[in-house]
Amino acid sequence: MRRVVVLGMHRSGTSAVARYLCSLGGFVGRDDDLMPARPDNPLGFYERVDTAALNDDVLEAAGVDWSTAEGDLATRFSAGQFERFRMRARAIVEGLDGAGRFPVLKDPRLALTLPVWRTALGECAWIVSARDARDVASSLIRRNGFTRTHALALCESYLTSITSAVAGEEVLVVSYERLLEHTEAECGRIRAYLTSLGVAVEEPSGGVLESAIRPELRNEVSALGEEEVLPAGLAGLEARLSQAGREPGPVVLPVTEIGRHSREVLELARQAVGNRDRLRELEIHHRRLVETLERRYDELFQRREGEIAALEKEISVRQREIADRDREIDRLVETERAAPGRRDLLLTNAGRDLDEQRRGRDLAVTESTELRGEVGRLERLVEQCDDAKARLRNELRSTTAELEAALAVVKDLEASRPVRWSRAVRSAMGGSGRSKPQS
């Protein structure tokens, strides 16, 4: 299946051409595959998100972007990178082939990255949308803020890249101005070209041209018009493309190279972009630094607030302690003021207690003296009793001895005298008042 590739500079009508191809049965992708519409292109770009992402990666690997690229980019990255890009391109093309309709691939950056896509695309129908470079420059100035010199140099870079990318191939050049002014004729040229290559196009239904090609959406026209002088290389390209746009069928575009002036302009643009990127990096770094400082400040502020709260709590505690000490001092002062009277009272009570203790001591001494005297008397009485006991003991011994002697005499007399005598003796002894000692 032959694929249809739409080439052209940004803001040169490639979206209008792709939209018309879809009305003929072309397939660019599902709605969720496509870049959304924007105010500068309200009907949509008809560009796949994955295609744009791949082209951006190719440009980045070459050290440029869509607004500064020029020259052969394929020589600016390694063979490994080229192969990886080619495999991604093949996957996108195979996805387009599976829809059952003729595939359409459109992205202005293809003018710069087409060498990566060539092997994946195979045989193609090439359509180049060409627009007056002055109007393209005015549109880029309005949308992107480019200088006119930069915008014109970029137009020359894209157009020379297209002539190199499709060298030797037949391409159909569609004039954007003629497409808006002679819509039916230009659309007929496109249908005839595709049919001649065997692409199965559908017959457009009524109102398709009016909905696909909208002259009122023409975004910008140069105020200077043809009075503006173009760089020599760009002027030559414009003339060749204008002539090719009037041909009834496809043509082979001669290969051209970008002029020295335009190359220098784009080199300055790359430097400006590099400076802008560095400035953006510095801004990002500055923003991150500010965020870090703000976060650090917030942390320090919160920490200081915590410390201040702790200090305030400590101060409150200290103040309460000071207030308690002040009250204690006031109490001590009051106590000290009342101390003289209390001291006198204490001294009086102490003197009274001392006097009582002295009287008690004197009384105790007196009682002790009396007790000592009584003890002496008792000791003397004990001695007298001991003496009396000794005398009595001696008297008892002598009396006992006398009685024993008398008893012995009596026994002797009784033994030697008659009983009568004995009775007389006992009667005599009884009359004398003494009793017989007990043995």
Side-chain angles (χ1 to χ4, degrees):
M1 181 181 294
R2 191 182 292 266
R3 294 103 182 178
V4 180
V5 180
V6 181
L7 300 174
M9 173 59 186
H10 296 271
R11 318 304 293 164
S12 63
T14 55
S15 297
V17 173
R19 186 163 53 248
Y20 175 66
L21 291 174
C22 289
S23 72
L24 298 179
F27 178 73
V28 294
R30 299 181 302 273
D31 289 342
D32 55 353
D33 294 329
L34 304 181
M35 296 175 61
R38 293 194 314 218
D40 59 316
N41 206 342
L43 297 183
F45 291 88
Y46 289 81
E47 295 176 20
R48 295 177 62 89
V49 174
D50 52 6
T51 301
L54 173 55
N55 288 331
D56 284 337
D57 290 344
V58 171
L59 295 174
E60 183 179 359
V64 294
D65 65 9
W66 71 270
S67 66
T68 61
E70 56 87 15
D72 186 4
L73 303 183
T75 61
R76 301 184 186 181
F77 39 77
S78 66
Q81 288 177 311
F82 185 89
E83 182 62 21
R84 286 192 294 272
F85 293 147
R86 190 181 65 81
M87 295 299 294
R88 289 173 60 185
R90 174 169 294 182
I92 294 172
V93 172
E94 289 176 353
L96 287 172
D97 291 343
R101 298 152 59 186
F102 70 86
V104 177
L105 189 66
K106 176 260 175 181
D107 181 359
R109 281 159 289 204
L110 286 169
L112 307 172
T113 64
L114 198 57
V116 172
W117 294 82
R118 285 306 297 267
T119 56
L121 288 171
E123 290 187 346
C124 295
W126 306 98
I127 298 178
V128 176
S129 180
R131 184 186 181 186
D132 191 318
R134 302 172 184 86
D135 295 343
V136 173
S138 297
S139 181
L140 290 174
I141 291 169
R142 179 179 179 181
R143 189 186 74 171
N144 301 99
F146 292 168
T147 64
R148 182 163 290 275
T149 302
H150 179 195
L152 293 174
L154 193 61
C155 286
E156 185 175 355
S157 174
Y158 271 69
L159 295 177
T160 55
S161 296
I162 290 173
T163 62
S164 299
V166 296
E169 300 273 359
E170 287 190 340
V171 300
L172 182 69
V173 178
V174 177
S175 169
Y176 180 63
E177 289 78 13
R178 289 176 60 83
L179 183 64
L180 298 182
E181 295 170 5
H182 308 285
T183 303
E184 188 171 352
E186 286 301 304
C187 290
R189 286 179 70 230
I190 295 173
R191 287 198 308 275
Y193 170 61
L194 296 179
T195 302
S196 69
L197 295 177
V199 178
V201 299
E202 300 174 357
E203 285 297 325
S205 58
V208 168
L209 293 183
E210 290 77 7
S211 62
I213 309 301
R214 304 280 292 275
E216 69 273 13
L217 296 179
R218 189 175 186 176
N219 44 52
E220 197 72 32
V221 177
S222 173
L224 298 176
E226 295 183 357
E227 296 179 1
E228 184 177 4
V229 178
L230 298 175
L234 180 57
L237 277 170
E238 285 277 294
R240 286 190 288 274
L241 291 172
S242 177
Q243 179 60 37
R246 293 185 177 91
E247 297 293 334
V251 298
V252 177
L253 296 175
V255 178
T256 57
E257 294 184 359
I258 187 171
R260 182 177 60 84
H261 174 72
S262 295
R263 184 179 292 110
E264 291 174 352
V265 169
L266 292 176
E267 176 61 30
L268 291 174
R270 281 193 293 275
Q271 294 177 8
V273 169
N275 292 334
R276 182 188 63 199
D277 292 342
R278 285 191 292 273
L279 180 60
R280 187 179 296 113
E281 291 175 358
L282 289 174
E283 288 176 349
I284 293 173
H285 176 71
H286 174 71
R287 184 163 56 252
R288 289 176 179 172
L289 182 60
V290 169
E291 290 174 354
T292 301
L293 291 175
E294 288 178 347
R295 186 168 56 254
R296 181 60 177 164
Y297 173 79
D298 291 339
E299 292 174 356
L300 290 175
F301 183 75
Q302 292 175 0
R303 185 183 302 173
R304 290 292 181 267
E305 281 191 334
E307 293 176 353
I308 290 172
L311 287 174
E312 289 177 347
K313 184 177 180 180
E314 182 68 19
I315 289 172
S316 178
V317 172
R318 297 299 183 213
Q319 287 177 341
R320 287 196 297 270
E321 291 178 353
I322 291 172
D324 293 340
R325 290 178 181 177
D326 288 341
R327 287 191 293 271
E328 180 65 18
I329 290 172
D330 293 339
R331 188 184 65 78
L332 292 174
V333 169
E334 284 297 321
T335 302
E336 185 63 25
R337 289 174 180 170
R342 184 176 299 176
R343 186 172 58 249
D344 293 342
L345 178 61
L346 291 174
L347 290 174
T348 301
N349 293 334
R352 186 181 301 112
D353 293 340
L354 184 60
D355 291 341
E356 291 179 356
Q357 291 176 1
R358 286 173 179 171
R359 285 193 296 271
R361 186 193 61 188
D362 294 341
L363 180 60
V365 168
T366 302
E367 290 178 351
S368 177
T369 303
E370 292 177 352
L371 286 173
R372 286 194 186 95
E374 185 67 23
V375 167
R377 286 192 299 271
L378 290 174
E379 288 176 350
R380 286 192 297 272
L381 287 175
V382 169
E383 290 176 356
Q384 293 175 1
C385 288
D386 290 340
D387 293 341
K389 285 169 64 180
R391 286 193 304 272
L392 289 173
R393 191 178 291 111
N394 292 329
E395 289 178 359
L396 180 59
R397 286 192 189 101
S398 65
T399 302
T400 300
E402 289 178 357
L403 289 174
E404 287 177 352
L407 183 58
V409 172
V410 170
K411 286 179 178 181
D412 290 339
L413 289 178
E414 286 179 352
S416 61
R417 298 287 185 214
V419 177
R420 187 182 299 171
W421 170 250
S422 176
R423 291 177 178 171
V425 172
R426 283 196 297 267
S427 176
M429 288 178 65
S432 62
R434 291 186 181 179
S435 62
K436 182 179 178 180
Q438 297 180 358
S439 59

